[in-house]
Amino acid sequence: MTIDTIFLFIVLATLASGVLSLAGAASLSLGLLSKLIDKMVSFSAGVLLGTALLHLLPESLESHVDAHVITSWLLGGLLGFFLLEKLALLRHSHHHEGDGHHHEHGHDAHEAGKGGWMILVGSAIHNFADGVVIAAAFLTDPRLGLAATVSITVHEVAHKLGDFMVLLNAGFPRRKALVLTLASSLTALAGGVLGYFMLDRLQGLIPYLLALAASSFIYIAVSDLMPQMQRRTSPRDALPQILLIAVGLALVVWLNGHDHEHAHGHDHDAPSSALAMSAGGVIGGGGGTSEGAGGAAGRMGTSVSATGS
């Protein structure tokens, strides 16, 4: 397989990962679930917290970066999103038409719509990091690249389902929510292309990007979704909320377990071992990653010279 073919595979894989995961999430959410948007706020909170605390942060902390540095980036991200909201750049105020406040028609929906941008920022950062991981996998071994693409696509279905529900809850029309979610998914393409040419530089940034993405998801869940749930205090409302949070968390845990089983289940299988190295460890440089990262960097250098000539 030539180096130019690998580049084509990276482009197609990052595009397919975003489109297919969004298609899976949309097929689940545009039917019955879209009519249960109030209930799905709890599910979204579970997915966002699970993705941040059980997926993104653990992968970030598995890198060579000191844990205190990662948690500092997490704290900085939380404070940064708080300041952005205070400055009304990404402010989210949940209003509903006819709530008793005297505003012009459409004002409440407009105000509610501002908050959806925050979830898109965090998802764009997350997807960019996924694109870099896919590029690293393909540069190490094309079979590994395909395995990493499938693994990331499956995991992203739950994440995009949570994103889509947050956008609907924020007042976005369905079509606009789909288009914007797709746009945030395309940052994986940017990550893949840049990873192809600059893998040795970009892989060192992934732990910080994951921490920032995690801060976005935590902030949305804790400052926005959970306060909405707290407004409903009756036991009749509390039980479905708890159950749906648990369902969201369980889905993330199951997908994470599936990814790890796929990556580590067959040590004698080269693509599976490489997947564990790339999807779980290429962001670091710790045990077992130097060979894969070095091989990818070597191939990257070959690709630059080949394309340059």
Side-chain angles (χ1 to χ4, degrees):
M1 183 176 292
T2 66
I3 225 64
D4 289 336
T5 304
I6 290 177
F7 178 76
L8 179 61
F9 267 79
I10 291 172
V11 171
L12 293 177
T14 50
L15 285 174
S17 175
V19 172
L20 292 177
S21 59
L22 178 59
S27 65
L28 292 172
S29 59
L30 287 178
L32 175 64
L33 296 183
S34 64
K35 300 175 183 178
L36 302 174
I37 186 63
D38 290 338
K39 298 286 191 298
M40 295 308 294
V41 166
S42 304
F43 171 82
S44 299
V47 169
L48 291 179
L49 289 175
T51 300
L53 299 175
L54 302 177
H55 177 59
L56 298 182
L57 274 183
E59 287 207 5
S60 184
L61 291 170
E62 286 171 3
S63 71
H64 66 285
V65 181
D66 185 83
H68 293 86
V69 176
I70 295 299
T71 53
S72 296
W73 276 74
L74 177 67
L75 175 61
L78 291 170
L79 294 176
F81 282 112
F82 171 76
L83 291 175
L84 286 173
E85 191 173 32
K86 280 294 183 183
L87 294 172
L89 295 177
L90 294 173
R91 182 168 59 87
H92 191 184
S93 298
H94 272 281
H95 298 285
H96 303 282
E97 298 297 339
D99 62 359
H101 298 287
H102 298 288
H103 301 297
E104 68 275 14
H105 180 72
H107 170 84
D108 293 336
H110 173 73
E111 288 297 304
K114 291 181 180 180
W117 297 106
M118 198 175 297
I119 190 72
L120 294 171
V121 170
S123 295
I125 296 172
H126 181 197
N127 292 325
F128 180 87
D130 283 344
V132 177
V133 170
I134 289 174
F138 270 104
L139 287 168
T140 302
D141 187 313
R143 295 173 299 170
L144 164 61
L146 292 175
T149 301
V150 171
S151 178
I152 287 173
T153 300
V154 171
H155 189 91
E156 280 295 297
V157 172
H159 177 211
K160 284 184 172 56
L161 177 59
D163 287 358
F164 192 69
M165 287 300 170
V166 171
L167 291 175
L168 292 181
N169 181 63
F172 283 80
R174 295 181 187 179
R175 180 176 296 181
K176 186 175 182 180
L178 279 174
V179 170
L180 290 175
T181 304
L182 177 61
S184 74
S185 300
L186 294 181
T187 57
L189 173 61
V193 171
L194 289 176
Y196 175 78
F197 292 106
M198 303 173 61
L199 181 62
D200 56 339
R201 301 178 186 178
L202 288 179
Q203 73 175 35
L205 295 177
I206 293 183
Y208 309 104
L209 295 177
L210 295 180
L212 286 177
S215 70
S216 165
F217 300 157
I218 293 171
Y219 185 84
I220 293 164
V222 173
S223 73
D224 180 13
L225 302 183
M226 286 186 167
Q228 291 184 61
M229 295 156 55
Q230 293 285 38
R231 295 182 193 133
R232 302 186 177 190
T233 57
S234 70
R236 183 178 180 181
D237 291 322
L239 182 59
Q241 288 175 351
I242 295 171
L243 290 176
L244 285 169
I245 289 176
V247 169
L249 288 171
L251 183 59
V252 173
V253 169
W254 180 78
L255 289 173
N256 278 339
H258 176 76
D259 288 347
H260 286 296
E261 180 182 354
H262 180 67
H264 299 287
H266 303 285
D267 291 337
H268 63 276
D269 184 38
S272 295
S273 299
L275 176 59
M277 173 190 64
S278 180
V282 77
I283 64 173
T289 64
S290 58
E291 180 182 353
R299 297 188 184 206
M300 182 201 66
T302 305
S303 70
V304 172
S305 62
T307 55
S309 60

